[in-house]
Amino acid sequence: MKAVPTLISSNNTGLDQAVKALLDGEVVAFPTETVYGLGALVTLPQAIQSIFKAKGRPENHPLIVHVADHTDLQPWADIESPMAQALINAFWPGPLTIIVPKGPKLSTQVTGGQNSVGVRCPQNHVAQALLKRLPAPLAAPSANRFGKLSPTCVNHVMDELTGHINYVLEGEASQVGIESTIVSLLSDQPVLLRPGSITKNQLEAVLKCPVIQHSTDQENSSVRYSGGLSQHYSPNKKLYVCSPCELDATLQNNASNKPYIIGWAAPFVEKALGYQLIQLPDNPVSVAENLYAALRKADQSDSEIIIIEKPLENQQWAGVADRLKRASAKA
Ligand code: TXA
Ligand code: MG
């Protein structure tokens, strides 16, 4: 393993180099609009195993299968159902992962032993250009060490996976900033497994039926779903999530620990003035876009704890709220 991964540029020559590396069985980190992914060809068992090794992720956790176009899913996943077709027509390419029955050609190594598969068609132009050149889909989790903050730019990938992978395909910062919305279509009623920038309302409007919010603790479930573990997406420092009216008490209770504060709404930010502070634009889209970069910056600072504003309890904020709940959960 190289000490520092080779950064491959996203021009034609670079894309050819990335394709060659993948065909040779390497894993390659690449940009998507949600977060950076760590890709390997679904047809190469050794390469898939390298993903789990590079991330330090248990091998029974399923990977998402990425394609440039839904027509590329033919032998890998069954997307024939009317609900799958409706979601694909409405949201692909884009930040939505759909759980469907796996196709006959897909190895259960990719699906964590399950008969279902998560499929996604990213919109990012570098991801599209890469996927279009490949003879098979890319299995790709987020390009971070297991349980840690997802990367939304090349530098984050380098922070996370230097010494663990050989190649990173260059791209811009991820615009969505949090992982894709995941909806399962395995039963009659669709289930939202992971909230993201595409909301439950948007899914319901397209599916014309209620979408169940997944609520039970998945650690005891037979369906393994790593984003469902209670602690996930975590910074190394202790993270507190608090509303404007809880901020003073949180600061007092941690008076001996230097805080780094991240907030957006005026009532919260006003109380945080005078401390080390990142103020994000006050809307859920911008907070999602900047969330992991802000948490990472705070984590790498000389502060001892991180305090972040509690998002509002509505669907627009559900993706950010979910990530913060997990990031602040006790191990
Ligand atoms: O935005 C994203 O989805 C990013 C980019 C790279 O595409 N990928 C991503 O992958 O977040 P990962 O592996 O970090 O998270 C995928 C989640 C995991 O929690 C996994 O357990 C769940 O999707 N998943 C995958 N296949 C599944 C299946 N068959 N049933 C239930 N959950 C599944
Ligand atoms: Mg992940």
Side-chain angles (χ1 to χ4, degrees), residues 20-314:
K20 182 175 181 309
L22 288 163
L23 291 172
D24 286 346
E26 293 276 354
V27 298
V28 176
F30 65 99
T32 89
E33 70 277 20
T34 56
V35 300
Y36 274 64
L38 182 60
L41 283 168
V42 295
T43 44
L44 301 178
Q46 288 289 345
I48 299 295
Q49 214 185 341
S50 302
I51 289 182
F52 292 107
K53 196 160 167 248
K55 278 186 67 91
R57 174 163 161 170
E59 291 185 16
N60 58 4
H61 285 275
L63 304 174
I64 294 177
V65 167
H66 295 67
V67 286
D69 188 85
H70 66 94
T71 52
D72 300 336
L73 280 171
Q74 231 301 307
W76 312 104
D78 175 359
I79 52 163
E80 292 302 305
S81 77
M83 283 208 209
Q85 290 293 315
L87 291 178
I88 286 169
N89 285 335
F91 299 113
W92 279 12
L96 178 70
T97 296
I98 308 171
I99 310 288
V100 293
K102 85 169 195 69
K105 222 174 150 183
L106 188 68
S107 159
T108 50
Q109 184 197 18
V110 173
T111 68
Q114 301 182 66
N115 290 325
S116 61
V117 58
V119 289
R120 167 156 142 72
C121 174
Q123 188 169 35
N124 176 282
H125 66 102
V126 178
Q128 276 282 331
L130 176 66
L131 291 164
K132 278 201 180 101
R133 285 166 195 247
L134 293 169
L138 276 187
S142 50
N144 51 281
R145 295 285 288 168
F146 182 59
K148 295 296 170 191
L149 297 170
S150 294
T152 54
C153 66
V154 164
N155 286 345
H156 298 172
V157 179
M158 295 291 184
D159 281 354
E160 287 287 322
L161 294 177
T162 289
H164 298 283
I165 62 172
N166 287 329
Y167 298 101
V168 179
L169 180 58
E170 199 170 38
E172 55 237 32
S174 301
Q175 280 181 332
V176 173
I178 56 171
E179 302 80 358
S180 58
T181 302
I182 303 183
V183 61
S184 171
L185 299 181
L186 296 180
S187 50
D188 292 345
Q189 276 203 301
V191 182
L192 182 66
L193 294 181
R194 182 172 71 184
S197 65
I198 294 174
T199 64
K200 187 156 113 41
N201 275 348
Q202 286 177 288
L203 297 172
E204 287 174 340
V206 169
L207 294 171
K208 301 188 175 61
C209 72
V211 171
I212 302 169
Q213 183 96 42
H214 198 279
S215 56
T216 54
D217 187 344
Q218 298 211 3
E219 266 142 314
N220 299 321
S221 149
S222 61
V223 177
R224 285 171 298 266
Y225 157 52
S226 72
L229 298 177
S230 50
Q231 194 193 30
H232 210 80
Y233 316 116
S234 301
N236 296 317
K237 288 176 184 156
K238 175 111 187 80
L239 175 69
Y240 295 89
V241 183
C242 64
S243 58
C245 62
E246 293 162 342
L247 181 57
D248 286 339
T250 306
L251 286 165
Q252 268 163 31
N253 293 341
N254 292 281
S256 58
N257 293 319
K258 187 174 174 192
Y260 202 110
I261 303 182
I262 303 166
W264 41 88
F268 184 92
V269 169
E270 277 158 22
K271 290 189 178 185
L273 293 175
Y275 293 95
Q276 229 171 344
L277 171 69
I278 298 180
Q279 181 174 9
L280 300 175
D282 185 11
N283 67 77
V285 173
S286 298
V287 172
E289 182 180 356
N290 296 294
L291 183 71
Y292 287 133
L295 286 170
R296 205 173 272 273
K297 188 170 175 197
D299 213 21
Q300 290 170 349
S301 74
D302 64 352
S303 73
E304 285 141 329
I305 59 166
I306 307 169
I307 303 177
I308 189 163
E309 180 168 351
K310 188 174 187 172
L312 297 175
E313 284 178 25
N314 65 38

